[in-house]
Amino acid sequence: MTEEAKESISTKRGLRRNEILPFTLDFLRGRWFALFASFLIMASSGSVYLFGTYSNEIKTTLGYDQTTINLLGFSKDVGANVGILTGLIAETTPTWFVLLLGAALNFGGYFMIWLAVTGKIAKPMVWQMCVYMAIGANSQNFANTVGVVTAVKNFPESRGSLIGLLKGYAGLSGAIITQVYLAVYGNDSKSLIFLIACLPTALSLIFICTIRTMGPVKHPNEHRVFNQFLLLSIVLALLLMVKTLIERKITFSKGTNAVITTVLCLLLFASLYISIREALVVWNIKKQPPTAITIEQSKSQVVESSEETSTKPTSSEQVDEKIEKSCFLTVFDKPERGMDYTILQALTSIDMLILLVTTIFGLGASLSAVDNLGQIGESLGYDNRTVTTFVSIISIWNFFGRVFSGFVSEILMVKYKLPRPLMMTMVLLFSCIGYLLIAFPFPGALYIASVIIGITFGAQLPLIFAIISELFGLKYYATLFNCAQIASPLGSYIFKVKVTGAIYDTEALKDVAAKGLAAKQLTCIGSHCYRLSFIILASVSCFGALCSLILVMRTRKFYQSDIYQKFRENADTL
C-alpha cells in the first residue's frame, strides 16, 4: 500500500463510538503522545536560564556579595553540565525512574532555595546554597536525557529535526517560564523560585509513565509532520520575541500577561492536536486488511529471519564470545561507523576526540561571546535598555539556530548525502563573522553580531548530539550524549576566564593608568577592550571549523550510504 493510499484512508475514516476508548488508550501509550510530553518537559526545563532573574533576590534577602552570587552561578553551571552520571543511570534504569529522580532533584534543590529566601528556614551556609543550586540545576540533565534520547530512539529517521525541535524548546523554556510567572504571580522573584521548583516537577510526574522507548514505526510523511511542529515552534518564538521587544518600552499588566500566556499555552498544546491526528493515521492504517503485496513481504521477511537464525551462533557460542571479549578487551576492536559502540569504544575513538575538540573550541568561543555581551555593549557605549535588547536577540536567534540546524542538516544529509559535520564547519566559519564585527565594530555592528552569534551558538548542540547518535549508535546514546556536554563548560572556562576576562582586565588597567585614576572598579570603554579577545575567538572558531572539516573527510563515505536503512528495516510495518 502506497503512502498516498494510506493517507487517503486515514483522512476519510474517523472513529466509531466503540473505538474511542481503545484508541485513547493506544494513543496514551504511543510514541506520538510521548513526543508531545517531551515537548512540554523540554519547554519547562529552563531553570538554569533564569538565574539572572532571581539571583538579586537571593543576594538581597540573604545578604550575599557579588562574589558569592558568582559562586552560586558557578555551582549552577557545574550542576547543569555534569551529566555523565545521568547517562549511566538512564542506561541501567527505566525512563520512569530517570524522570522521577530528576523531579526529586528539581523540587529538592529549588524548594530549599525558596525556603531560604522566604525565611522559612534558618539562613543556610554558602556551601549549602551551592549544593542546593547544583542539585536543582542537575535535574535539567535528567529531563534532557529522557526527552532527547527516547525521542531519537522512537523517531530515528528524523533525529536531526527532532533534536533541533527539542533543544529549541529548551532554549525558549526560560522565556516560557517567565511568561507563566508574570501571569500568575506578577513581579515577585521569590514566587519565581517556587514556580521553578513546582512546574517542571509536576510535568515530569504527570508524564512519568508516558515517555519511554518504543522503537520506530513506519509512518507516511513523517517529515511533513515535523515541519508542522517546526511551524508551531516558530510562531511561539515570534510571539515571545515581539512581546519581549515591546516590553522594553511598555509595562504589561497582569491581565495582559495572562492573555499572552493563554495564547502561548494554546500554541504549545496545538502540537497535541497534531499528535492525535497522526496517531489516528496509524490507527486507521492498522485496521486495513493486508494486501497481497503485504502478505508476500511478510512471508519473505519470515524466510529471511529464519535463514538469519540458522546462521547465528548457538547460545553457548554467544556466551563464550561475550566472555572472551569484555568491554575492556574490545576498546580498540571498534565496529563500523553507525553500529552500536560501547562507551569505552566511543570515548577512545578518533572521531569522538575530533568532535570533542571541535566542541571545546566552537562552543567555548560562543559561550564566551554570549556571557560577555553585557560588558561588550557597555564598552561600546550602549545604554542598559539596548544591552538588554541584545541579550533578547541572542536568545530568540539561539532558538532559530537550534531548530534550523537540525532541519537543514537533515535535508542536506538525506537528499544530497552531505555529511552532517559539514554543517558544523559552515556554522563555525559563519560565527567568525560575528566575532570580527565585535573586534572591529561600526555603527549597528553589534545588532548584526548578536544575530549571528545567536544563530551559530544555538546551531551547534543539535548538530553535535545528532552526529554522536549517527556515528556511535543509539545503544549507549544516553551516556555519550551527556559526555559531549562536558566539553562545553571546559571551553567556556578557558576562553571566558583565561582569555576574554584576562585581556579585558588588562585593557581596563591600561585605561585607568592612562587617566591617572585609582583602580576601584575595572571598567574599560572603547572598541579596543574586546578587540584582541575576539580576534582570538575568531581564530579559535576557525580552528574548530578545521577540526570539523577533518571529521567531514573521515566520515564522507559513511554519510554517502543510507544510514537510516537499518531503522527502516527494523521498523514495525503498519
Side-chain angles (χ1 to χ4, degrees):
M1 185 181 296
T2 63
E3 291 183 357
E4 291 79 6
K6 291 179 180 180
E7 190 172 3
S8 64
I9 290 171
S10 65
T11 53
K12 290 178 182 177
R13 297 195 57 182
L15 284 175
R16 298 187 181 93
R17 183 174 299 177
N18 61 346
E19 293 177 331
I20 293 177
L21 180 59
F23 169 74
T24 302
L25 294 176
D26 184 74
F27 171 66
L28 295 177
R29 292 194 298 261
R31 62 177 191 154
W32 288 104
F33 184 65
L35 180 60
F36 165 72
S38 296
F39 286 155
L40 289 189
I41 286 179
M42 296 298 285
S44 66
S45 64
S47 58
V48 295
Y49 304 118
L50 296 170
F51 179 73
T53 305
Y54 62 80
S55 60
N56 192 56
E57 191 71 46
I58 297 176
K59 180 179 180 180
T60 303
T61 57
L62 298 181
Y64 290 158
D65 56 18
Q66 190 60 38
T67 301
T68 305
I69 293 298
N70 288 338
L71 181 61
L72 288 177
F74 174 74
S75 302
K76 169 189 66 70
D77 293 338
V78 171
N81 288 286
V82 179
I84 294 180
L85 181 60
T86 306
L88 293 173
I89 292 173
E91 302 285 8
T92 55
T93 61
T95 51
W96 66 263
F97 179 79
V98 180
L99 273 177
L100 180 63
L101 187 55
L105 291 176
N106 183 83
F107 185 77
Y110 288 111
F111 188 68
M112 291 302 296
I113 295 173
W114 178 75
L115 290 176
V117 170
T118 54
K120 298 184 184 298
I121 60 173
K123 179 181 176 180
M125 299 180 69
V126 173
W127 69 267
Q128 291 175 311
M129 287 292 290
C130 289
V131 171
Y132 299 152
M133 187 65 67
I135 290 174
N138 190 250
S139 66
Q140 177 182 267
N141 292 313
F142 290 83
N144 284 340
T145 300
V146 170
V148 174
V149 175
T150 56
V152 167
K153 290 183 178 180
N154 291 338
F155 299 89
E157 293 186 61
S158 304
R159 67 185 68 181
S161 307
L162 192 51
I163 294 174
L165 273 174
L166 290 169
K167 297 305 293 182
Y169 275 113
L172 288 176
S173 58
I176 292 172
I177 294 176
T178 300
Q179 187 57 47
V180 174
Y181 142 73
L182 291 173
V184 176
Y185 296 107
N187 193 15
D188 181 6
S189 300
K190 294 179 182 178
S191 298
L192 174 61
I193 302 173
F194 182 76
L195 180 65
I196 292 171
C198 295
L199 181 60
T201 302
L203 288 173
S204 294
L205 294 178
I206 289 171
F207 298 116
I208 195 168
C209 295
T210 298
I211 304 178
R212 66 190 190 281
T213 302
M214 287 165 269
V217 177
K218 291 182 180 179
H219 187 280
N221 295 321
E222 185 175 285
H223 296 294
R224 186 198 64 185
V225 178
F226 283 104
N227 289 336
Q228 294 170 354
F229 283 131
L230 172 64
L231 180 61
L232 278 177
S233 65
I234 291 174
V235 174
L236 179 65
L238 290 175
L239 171 65
L240 291 170
M241 180 177 68
V242 171
K243 191 262 181 182
T244 301
L245 293 177
I246 294 176
E247 201 171 24
R248 303 303 169 199
K249 297 184 178 181
I250 301 174
T251 301
F252 290 100
S253 65
K254 189 175 180 180
T256 305
N257 279 315
V259 173
I260 295 173
T261 303
T262 302
V263 175
L264 184 149
C265 291
L266 289 175
L267 288 173
L268 282 173
F269 278 84
S271 58
L272 177 61
Y273 165 76
I274 296 176
S275 299
I276 294 174
R277 186 194 66 197
E278 297 310 312
L280 186 60
V281 169
V282 176
W283 175 268
N284 285 329
I285 293 174
K286 283 181 178 179
K287 289 164 53 180
Q288 299 306 306
T291 62
I293 296 175
T294 306
I295 294 173
E296 289 298 324
Q297 289 176 345
S298 300
K299 289 180 179 178
S300 64
Q301 289 174 357
V302 170
V303 172
E304 290 175 1
S305 62
S306 62
E307 291 176 353
E308 290 175 359
T309 303
S310 63
T311 58
K312 286 182 179 179
T314 63
S315 58
S316 60
E317 291 173 345
Q318 290 177 345
V319 171
D320 291 338
E321 185 178 355
K322 289 180 181 179
I323 294 175
E324 290 174 3
K325 295 185 178 181
S326 68
C327 62
F328 294 100
L329 295 177
T330 58
V331 170
F332 300 105
D333 185 18
K334 295 177 174 57
E336 296 180 0
R337 290 188 180 95
M339 304 299 291
D340 289 326
Y341 281 57
T342 67
I343 296 173
L344 289 177
Q345 285 174 338
L347 293 179
T348 56
S349 69
I350 296 177
D351 290 345
M352 179 64 85
L353 178 63
I354 294 173
L355 191 58
L356 290 178
V357 171
T358 302
T359 304
I360 290 173
F361 284 89
L363 270 180
S366 295
L367 283 169
S368 181
V370 170
D371 290 345
N372 281 281
L373 191 65
Q375 284 185 300
I376 293 170
E378 180 187 35
S379 68
L380 295 178
Y382 292 97
D383 57 33
N384 290 333
R385 183 184 292 267
T386 306
V387 170
T388 306
T389 302
F390 292 142
V391 175
S392 300
I393 289 173
I394 280 190
S395 299
I396 298 300
W397 285 101
N398 175 29
F399 161 79
F400 285 113
R402 292 184 181 205
V403 294
F404 283 118
S405 69
F407 278 82
V408 173
S409 65
E410 195 77 17
I411 293 171
L412 294 177
M413 187 187 71
V414 173
K415 287 190 175 181
Y416 304 104
K417 301 297 182 182
L418 295 178
R420 205 185 294 269
L422 181 61
M423 179 116 186
M424 175 69 79
T425 304
M426 294 188 290
V427 165
L428 293 179
L429 289 176
F430 187 43
S431 68
C432 296
I433 299 175
Y435 303 146
L436 293 176
L437 286 174
I438 295 176
F440 304 98
F442 55 84
L446 196 53
Y447 287 95
I448 304 173
S450 299
V451 173
I452 294 174
I453 292 172
I455 292 174
T456 54
F457 173 53
Q460 292 177 58
L461 271 181
L463 292 173
I464 293 166
F465 293 156
I467 292 169
I468 289 175
S469 73
E470 290 158 356
L471 298 184
F472 307 112
L474 298 178
K475 187 174 182 180
Y476 299 103
Y477 183 49
T479 301
L480 298 177
F481 146 81
N482 280 287
C483 287
Q485 295 190 135
I486 297 179
S488 174
L490 177 60
S492 173
Y493 176 78
I494 293 171
F495 299 115
K496 183 170 66 174
V497 178
K498 296 299 182 181
V499 176
T500 308
I503 293 176
Y504 177 88
D505 289 342
T506 301
E507 294 295 333
L509 284 171
K510 289 180 181 178
D511 282 3
V512 170
K515 295 176 182 178
L517 302 174
K520 293 181 180 179
Q521 184 177 0
L522 292 178
T523 302
C524 182
I525 302 297
S527 59
H528 64 283
C529 301
Y530 283 96
R531 176 163 295 158
L532 178 58
S533 299
F534 275 79
I535 290 174
I536 294 174
L537 292 184
S539 303
V540 161
S541 191
C542 280
F543 181 77
L546 177 61
C547 293
S548 179
L549 188 60
I550 294 173
L551 189 60
V552 171
M553 301 303 295
R554 288 176 56 86
T555 60
R556 67 186 187 282
K557 291 183 179 179
F558 167 71
Y559 280 101
Q560 286 172 358
S561 64
D562 188 356
I563 66 173
Y564 290 155
Q565 181 180 359
K566 63 179 180 179
F567 297 104
R568 285 194 295 271
E569 292 174 350
N570 295 330
D572 294 335
T573 305
L574 295 178

